[in-house]
Amino acid sequence: MDECNIIRLNNLISYISPTENPLSANVVMIQGREALWLYDVGNHPDIPQVIEQFRDGRNVNVILSHFHEDHIGNLPGMGVDEVYQGKYTHRHTDMGTVVEDDIYIQDGDVSLHIFTLPSSHAKGCVALEVNEEWCFLGDALYAMQKCGHNLYNAGILKEEINVLQNIKAEKFMLSHRTPFEKPKGIIMRWLGEIYDRRVKGEVYIEI
């Protein structure tokens, strides 16, 4: 089994590295004054114990990027205080708050912007912008896999690009990628190049 490592981004934000055995996404830990905020909870069995070490008596509030097991597998039994997620993820968790409009939360030195993000990868993705500097995106920028093909829905991709263009953060964080952090400009060019490959009259872009 792969080992979980903790990487520090600054004095407020750390993350637990992703693993492949078992498949588990990055788990971001953001230290507010009132709560420890998590973006995803992963699927590695060691993660709940790591989170407990960072809790320091605070509530634990979770933002889930989407419903895939490698992002939400640890949720049952974790005893979290609040969960924010899209409506499709809520069907899997049956708890917490469904994110429909932008949510802004100030917790000590931490400013959180929780918002829905159109995605070809999974329905109902939710992203998190922190202090207008970091934007955590989960798997929302990836393609869907269908019959052995990697596909983007052209209309959804255009909507996704439009949302991301308005995000102030310049550091985009994509789950499962090394390095975790990518410059916004590079990501926007990458998505734009994919969108430019669309064929008139066709719903999907194959990559």
Side-chain angles (χ1 to χ4, degrees), residues 40-191:
D40 286 333
V41 293
N43 193 42
H44 194 290
D46 292 346
I47 288 172
Q49 183 179 357
V50 174
I51 290 167
E52 199 60 35
Q53 295 171 8
F54 279 77
R55 183 172 193 154
D56 196 25
R58 294 170 292 191
N59 288 350
V60 175
N61 297 336
V62 174
I63 299 115
L64 297 174
S65 64
H66 65 297
F67 55 83
H68 290 166
E69 190 74 9
D70 54 315
H71 294 257
I72 72 168
N74 279 320
L75 189 65
M78 273 184 61
V80 301
D81 294 279
E82 180 61 283
V83 179
Y84 298 85
Q85 73 247 283
K87 64 180 180 180
Y88 289 94
T89 305
H90 186 261
R91 294 177 183 177
H92 293 258
T93 66
D94 197 29
M95 64 185 295
T97 299
V98 175
V99 179
E100 295 179 302
D101 300 311
D102 288 30
I103 297 173
Y104 296 89
I105 298 170
Q106 187 72 37
D107 183 4
D109 293 330
V110 170
S111 298
L112 305 174
H113 171 207
I114 305 167
F115 61 99
T116 60
L117 186 59
S119 172
S120 297
H121 180 77
K123 291 182 177 180
C125 285
V126 171
L128 172 66
E129 185 182 22
V130 181
N131 291 348
E132 297 185 348
E133 182 179 3
W134 314 80
C135 190
F136 299 95
L137 298 162
D139 292 355
L141 275 55
Y142 303 149
M144 71 175 80
Q145 294 185 336
K146 193 172 184 178
C147 301
H149 300 277
N150 291 323
L151 304 173
Y152 284 89
N153 179 298
I156 291 175
L157 178 58
K158 180 59 175 173
E159 292 175 15
E160 185 172 36
I161 289 170
N162 290 342
V163 171
L164 292 174
Q165 282 175 336
N166 291 320
I167 294 301
K168 295 179 181 178
E170 290 294 331
K171 299 173 182 177
F172 278 15
M173 319 298 283
L174 282 63
S175 289
H176 305 287
R177 290 291 178 97
T178 302
F180 190 19
E181 176 190 328
K182 302 284 186 181
K184 176 182 177 179
I186 289 176
I187 295 300
M188 298 307 296
R189 283 196 295 275
W190 169 57
L191 295 177

